[in-house]
Amino acid sequence: MNPKTVVDEVPPYLRVHQDGTIERLVGTDFAPPTLDPETGVSSKDVLFHPETGVSARLYRPNLAADHQTKLPLVIYFHGGAFCISSTADPKYHAMLNILVNHAQIILVSVDYRLAPEHPLPAAYHDSWAALQWVAAHLSGAASENWITEHVDFDRVFLAGDSAGANISHHLSIRAGSPGRALGELKIRGVLMIQPYFWGEEAIGAEAENPVFKAVVDKWWRFVCPSDLGCDDPLINPFASGAPSLDGLGCGRVLVCVAGNDILRERGRLYYSVLTKSKWEGKPEFFETQGEDHVFHIMDPTSLNSTNLITRCAQFIHQS
């Protein structure tokens, strides 16, 4: 058999060849860290976990030389079904420049490892390591100057879209558990933008499109080698064995969904369950009608994207 014969395909993301080569079809473009001329936001890449080679892209808004006010910190996890994209993806880079400028925040975008080369739970481990790295700045064990000089550690947020929102959920659960190993660091809130949750049984609009339901099923089964399929607690937060939302380790959660997104039912369900749980925080919900999944990544300057980014900035700066 030809070593370049395609033996598996996960449309529209990637192909797997006979020799094990992974051919990614999208999410491979690269934008370097730089000073963005349109927003004045600066960025740089930092290797924070040499053992795995995992890095982060840091963002800082345009600050006056005598700037003294500490800024909120957002730790951001990109989307891509756990198998594509990166912190250097030009689409993410452009959107985060806009968010950082609009919200006036310091942001750490985590370049977690991707499946299938690194099957789940590798992405969760890498993301937790990033959170521990941020926490190490409180004890003096880490010393990245953009963090030590500009961050208000009383206003630290987790955020992400799609798979990144899924990661934010699981890190918040872990942050609320005993022995969390984050020292004095506390999570003020979590921004979950069009979260990637799923399940074996179709709910709501999912049942109207069984072909697309099967496609999304395949995405998850490809990145997560689990006998539980789409009812693995990593993808279904309400499956048997999933930790209760009562234990979320943050004070506020904003769930954002898009009206044309097949994942919207899961976001609505998450918010509904959260409002009825014994969690003592404040749940919030924001829906954008007429838009599809990660529309704010595809065109961060559209009116609806601007409204979503503004809502996220408001959430960060609420007292």
Side-chain angles (χ1 to χ4, degrees):
M1 183 180 288
N2 187 328
K4 287 302 180 183
T5 299
V6 175
V7 295
D8 198 3
E9 191 163 4
V10 186
Y13 298 135
L14 53 79
R15 300 188 186 105
V16 182
H17 294 271
Q18 174 68 23
D19 63 358
T21 302
I22 307 300
E23 179 190 2
R24 288 184 167 82
L25 307 175
V26 289
T28 59
D29 292 339
F30 180 88
T34 187
L35 171 63
D36 180 55
E38 295 188 13
T39 62
V41 170
S42 298
S43 56
K44 63 179 177 179
D45 291 338
V46 176
L47 176 67
F48 68 84
H49 203 258
E51 295 87 346
T52 58
V54 177
S55 65
R57 179 162 293 186
L58 275 58
Y59 292 82
R60 183 184 68 182
N62 185 17
L63 301 175
D66 59 350
H67 181 88
Q68 298 296 323
T69 304
K70 300 288 188 177
L71 303 177
L73 172 67
V74 171
I75 305 168
Y76 196 93
F77 309 99
H78 68 80
F82 296 99
C83 62
I84 62 163
S85 197
S86 71
T87 56
D89 187 320
K91 291 184 172 62
Y92 275 99
H93 187 63
M95 188 278 293
L96 291 178
N97 276 322
I98 293 171
L99 174 61
V100 168
N101 179 51
H102 191 83
Q104 290 294 289
I105 55 176
I106 302 297
L107 188 140
V108 174
S109 178
V110 181
D111 202 22
Y112 56 84
R113 291 171 294 171
L114 301 177
E117 296 92 334
H118 306 281
L120 295 181
Y124 299 101
H125 294 331
D126 295 345
S127 300
W128 182 255
L131 189 52
Q132 288 183 305
W133 175 70
V134 168
H137 289 78
L138 276 169
S139 66
S143 58
E144 165 51 49
N145 66 313
W146 284 13
I147 295 177
T148 57
E149 294 178 9
H150 300 298
V151 166
D152 177 358
F153 283 99
D154 289 329
R155 293 186 292 167
V156 175
F157 295 82
L158 303 180
D161 63 273
S162 194
N166 174 307
I167 290 172
S168 296
H169 159 74
H170 285 287
L171 264 59
S172 182
I173 289 287
R174 188 169 178 180
S177 64
R180 63 198 192 105
L182 292 177
E184 298 298 316
L185 184 70
K186 292 181 173 57
I187 307 302
R188 172 73 71 91
V190 176
L191 276 158
M192 302 178 62
I193 304 170
Q194 299 143 37
Y196 178 30
F197 297 126
W198 204 239
E200 286 291 329
E201 182 178 350
I203 63 173
E206 297 168 8
E208 300 170 7
N209 195 337
V211 173
F212 198 10
K213 171 71 166 66
V215 169
V216 182
D217 288 350
K218 180 177 176 63
W219 293 348
W220 176 254
R221 294 189 177 110
F222 180 77
V223 300
C224 183
S226 167
D227 294 337
L228 300 174
C230 296
D231 279 339
D232 189 295
L234 289 176
I235 193 65
N236 186 347
F238 310 117
S240 176
S244 169
L245 298 190
D246 297 352
L248 281 173
C250 61
R252 294 162 49 227
V253 171
L254 173 61
V255 181
C256 302
V257 302
N260 293 348
D261 181 7
I262 195 171
L263 298 182
R264 67 190 182 275
E265 304 288 2
R266 303 290 167 167
R268 291 168 179 165
L269 176 62
Y270 187 95
Y271 173 73
S272 176
V273 173
L274 188 57
T275 59
K276 299 170 186 175
S277 72
K278 295 180 181 178
W279 176 62
E280 297 179 352
K282 179 184 178 183
E284 302 177 39
F285 185 79
F286 183 78
E287 181 162 350
T288 304
Q289 296 294 339
E291 294 286 3
D292 211 330
H293 194 58
V294 298
F295 67 92
H296 65 299
I297 304 297
M298 300 305 171
D299 181 6
T301 62
S302 73
L303 177 59
N304 281 337
S305 295
T306 299
N307 291 338
L308 174 59
I309 289 170
T310 297
R311 182 65 184 87
C312 291
Q314 291 170 344
F315 177 81
I316 292 167
H317 286 283
Q318 285 174 230
S319 59

